[in-house]
Amino acid sequence: MTLKQLKYAVTVAKTGNITEAAKQLFIAQPSLTSAIKDLEKEYNITIFYRSNKGIEITPEGDEFLGYARQLLEQANLIEERYTGVNRGKQRFCVSAQHYSFVVEAFVELLKKYGGDKYEFHMRETQTFDIIDDVAHRRSEIGVLYLNTFNETVIRKTLRDHGLVFSTLFTAKPHVFIGKNNPIAKKKTITLDDLTAYPRLSYEQGSHNSFYFSEEILSTIDSDKEIIVRDRATLFNLLVGLNGYTICSGVISEELNGPHIIAKPLDVDDYMEIGYILPSGMPQSVLTQQYIDILKNRCC
């Protein structure tokens, strides 16, 4: 195995096409195909399925490519540290539940450390996809929450994927509502106060278990349910329909505008918000810097 072979495999996965990858790598297509086959033979795996329609990454190939990306990142860091030469773009990816402080920290990291060339990804996504992204090294770090209800299931899922959870902070439950909502003047909101209003929550796809819900108290019945996929839609509906969502209460007016407010929810519960990383693997400088920024912003 060589770093060049790993770069070839990662480029093929990124483009989804051998011909396009060969063009980007400035090598002949047969040479690229041969290099990939040698890599597969060396480790007795199949990284890509090949067909007339192109290529598809196999499950074992997906895992292998996660390690390959990690090795290439570490090699770039060594090159930059000891030669002072940055050989390519800075690359960094975060997968997270829908938290404004995660985006704010991402912006700060990019401004401080992005450099002249970069490719940064900010993925606000479904809970299981956060775990899967970090497990397969598509993201360097993930951010999600635990509480009494979901902790056993989430921690087992993390262990099964070779990941560890570290706490950033613990928050009491709040509700996000529009500032003109009829209950907005109350100092504290009760569950009974919410029964007349639509409850908004984030879609969890095929892993739509209560344990993977981004909102706590998801098992409590609600007559009016709205499921969304992105934060902008959820906030628009909070205002337009006097809806609500249960959350940590951490909000940024700069990012989310002045029309959404957070009110304490009168329940005996909590949200332990933290980050997940691969167990036992060294982290990149950018990952370490991002964790420091997260801690400074929310703790």
Side-chain angles (χ1 to χ4, degrees):
M1 178 194 72
T2 66
L3 290 176
K4 183 177 288 186
Q5 285 176 309
L6 295 182
K7 182 179 180 181
Y8 288 174
V10 168
T11 304
V12 171
K14 183 177 180 180
T15 60
N17 184 282
I18 291 284
T19 302
E20 179 60 30
K23 289 180 181 178
Q24 292 189 14
L25 294 164
F26 301 103
I27 63 172
Q29 183 174 329
S31 298
L32 176 57
T33 300
S34 177
I36 298 296
K37 287 182 177 179
D38 288 344
L39 195 58
E40 291 177 321
K41 183 178 179 181
E42 180 177 354
Y43 290 102
N44 193 30
I45 61 173
T46 301
I47 302 173
F48 303 107
Y49 288 126
R50 298 164 181 84
S51 69
N52 294 333
K53 296 181 180 179
I55 63 164
E56 181 180 343
I57 302 170
T58 68
E60 61 184 350
D62 194 30
E63 180 180 18
F64 178 85
L65 288 164
Y67 288 109
R69 294 184 188 99
Q70 191 85 2
L71 282 171
L72 290 171
E73 175 66 21
Q74 294 298 323
N76 286 336
L77 289 172
I78 292 172
E79 183 81 7
E80 185 174 354
R81 171 65 179 83
Y82 292 103
T83 67
V85 177
N86 187 343
R87 297 297 184 183
K89 290 181 177 180
Q90 292 264 44
R91 287 181 168 83
F92 185 72
C93 184
V94 181
S95 292
Q97 292 174 331
H98 298 75
Y99 302 127
S100 58
F101 74 88
V102 172
V103 179
E104 290 178 313
F106 180 84
V107 170
E108 184 175 338
L109 181 78
L110 181 54
K111 287 181 176 178
K112 285 185 176 180
Y113 304 105
D116 295 329
K117 296 189 295 183
Y118 55 79
E119 182 181 316
F120 278 37
H121 297 247
M122 177 67 246
R123 297 194 68 211
E124 288 188 325
T125 189
Q126 298 164 355
T127 302
F128 186 84
D129 287 346
I130 297 168
I131 296 170
D132 194 59
D133 283 348
V134 179
H136 290 95
R137 313 305 188 266
R138 289 187 291 270
S139 290
E140 282 78 9
I141 185 171
V143 182
L144 46 74
Y145 86 94
L146 304 177
N147 74 338
T148 303
F149 178 72
N150 73 3
E151 182 171 9
T152 299
V153 171
I154 296 295
R155 285 196 183 276
K156 181 182 185 305
T157 305
L158 294 176
R159 288 195 302 270
D160 291 345
H161 286 78
L163 305 176
V164 292
F165 176 91
S166 299
T167 303
L168 285 168
F169 66 98
T170 300
K172 295 294 292 181
H174 286 66
V175 289
F176 282 165
I177 54 177
K179 68 177 184 179
N180 294 321
N181 189 297
I183 58 175
K185 293 182 179 180
K186 295 176 68 72
K187 290 184 177 180
T188 301
I189 306 296
T190 68
L191 292 174
D192 286 341
D193 291 331
L194 298 172
T195 55
Y197 302 100
R199 180 172 67 187
L200 290 106
S201 57
Y202 289 107
E203 180 184 316
Q204 294 300 327
S206 59
H207 292 85
N208 198 27
S209 161
F210 288 125
Y211 297 108
F212 288 94
S213 173
E214 190 168 329
E215 302 77 27
I216 67 170
L217 305 174
S218 57
T219 57
I220 294 177
D221 286 336
S222 174
D223 291 336
K224 302 173 183 178
E225 293 270 8
I226 302 175
I227 313 299
V228 302
R229 299 195 67 176
D230 65 89
R231 184 149 45 110
T233 300
L234 184 140
F235 282 177
N236 285 337
L237 294 175
L238 288 184
V239 174
L241 296 176
N242 280 333
Y244 73 91
T245 190
I246 301 176
C247 59
S248 67
V250 180
I251 191 169
S252 167
E253 183 173 321
E254 181 180 354
L255 288 177
N256 302 318
H259 303 295
I260 305 295
I261 59 174
K263 290 286 183 174
L265 181 63
D266 185 17
V267 292
D268 184 19
D269 210 331
Y270 68 91
M271 296 179 71
E272 183 181 355
I273 298 174
Y275 58 90
I276 59 173
L277 296 169
S279 177
M281 291 193 68
Q283 302 308 313
S284 70
V285 173
L286 284 178
T287 302
Q288 294 167 1
Q289 294 289 351
Y290 185 68
I291 292 170
D292 288 342
I293 293 171
L294 283 174
K295 290 179 177 178
N296 288 334
R297 282 194 166 270
C298 65
C299 305

